[in-house]
């Protein structure tokens, strides 16, 4: 092995009138006035998205598991509220007729029966409205924006408040409402509901 061999990578660098060549480990810079060029081969890939679409424009984003769970919980709460509203309407008519039979035909009994029936119907209508709102929010999870996310958080907060006031019967409502708030407020939930803004 001779140091004079031009093909020897370990030999002395030979100056051929081109100036000093950069050694190993030193970045090579383009001469002044020449624009820097990108690396060889394919262009750089777009950044990867945490949801598996590769960051490609137009690729469909997958709904995160927490958001799916919150959607199912809203379906459950909406269904329970609608069933409860139907049950309250049925009970109100039975309550009114039983009260009238037991109290006789006095004016006070009729007033009390109609007041009780009116309160139960009002509670049933309120429960029906709350149930329909939960179902509409659950339907909008697929395509809705940040307004649906805020609506779900507000709905969960109101549900948790009513759950606290109706304990121990409201324990299921309280638990589901808190879970809806947690799953929708997480960072992946925020990314899901703000995905339309990120594409533009």
């Amino acid at each position: 092995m001779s140091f004079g061999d031009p093909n020897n990578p370990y030999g002395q660098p030979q100056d051929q009138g081109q100036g000093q060549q950069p050694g190993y480990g030193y970045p090579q810079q383009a001469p002044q006035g020449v624009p820097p060029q990108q690396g060889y081969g394919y262009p750089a890939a777009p950044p990867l998205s945490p949801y598996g679409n590769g960051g490609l424009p137009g690729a469909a984003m997958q709904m995160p598991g927490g958001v799916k769970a919150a959607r199912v919980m809203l379906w459950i709460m909406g269904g329970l509220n609608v069933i409860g509203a139907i049950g309250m309407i049925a009970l109100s008519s039975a309550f009114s007729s039983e009260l009238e039979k037991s109290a006789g035909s006095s004016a006070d009994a009729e007033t009390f029966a109609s007041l009780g029936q009116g309160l139960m119907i009002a509670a049933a209508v309120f429960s029906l409205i709350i149930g329909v709102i939960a179902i509409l929010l659950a339907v909008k999870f697929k395509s809705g924006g940040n307004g649906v996310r805020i609506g779900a958080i507000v709905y969960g907060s109101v549900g948790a408040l009513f759950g606290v006031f109706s304990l121990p019967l409201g324990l299921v409502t309280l638990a589901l409402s808190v879970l809806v708030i947690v799953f929708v407020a997480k960072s992946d939930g925020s990314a899901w509901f703000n995905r339309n803004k990120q594409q533009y």
Side-chain angles (χ1 to χ4, degrees), residues 142-182:
K142 190 84 171 166
S143 61
N146 201 35
V148 176
R149 177 177 176 254
I150 293 170
I153 291 172
V154 169
Y155 182 86
S157 302
V158 171
L161 186 65
F162 278 108
V164 167
F165 286 129
S166 62
L167 284 174
L169 296 175
L171 188 61
V172 173
T173 303
L174 176 64
L176 291 176
S177 299
V178 168
L179 288 174
V180 165
I181 294 169
V182 168

Side-chain angles (χ1 to χ4, degrees), residues 81-108:
N81 278 317
V82 169
I83 291 170
I86 294 169
M88 277 192 268
I89 290 172
L91 281 176
S92 70
S93 60
F95 171 77
S96 176
S97 63
E98 286 295 322
L99 193 61
E100 286 177 1
K101 285 179 188 177
S102 65
S105 60
S106 70
D108 290 339

Side-chain angles (χ1 to χ4, degrees), residues 1 3 6 8 11 43 51 66 68 72 76-77 82 85 102 110 121 127 130 132 154 167 169 172 197:
M1 181 178 198
F3 290 107
N8 183 0
Y51 300 106
K68 287 180 185 177
V72 170
I76 291 170
M77 287 193 293
V82 169
S102 65
E110 288 179 12
I121 289 176
S127 180
I130 293 294
V132 168
V154 169
L167 284 174
L169 296 175
V172 173
K197 290 180 183 177

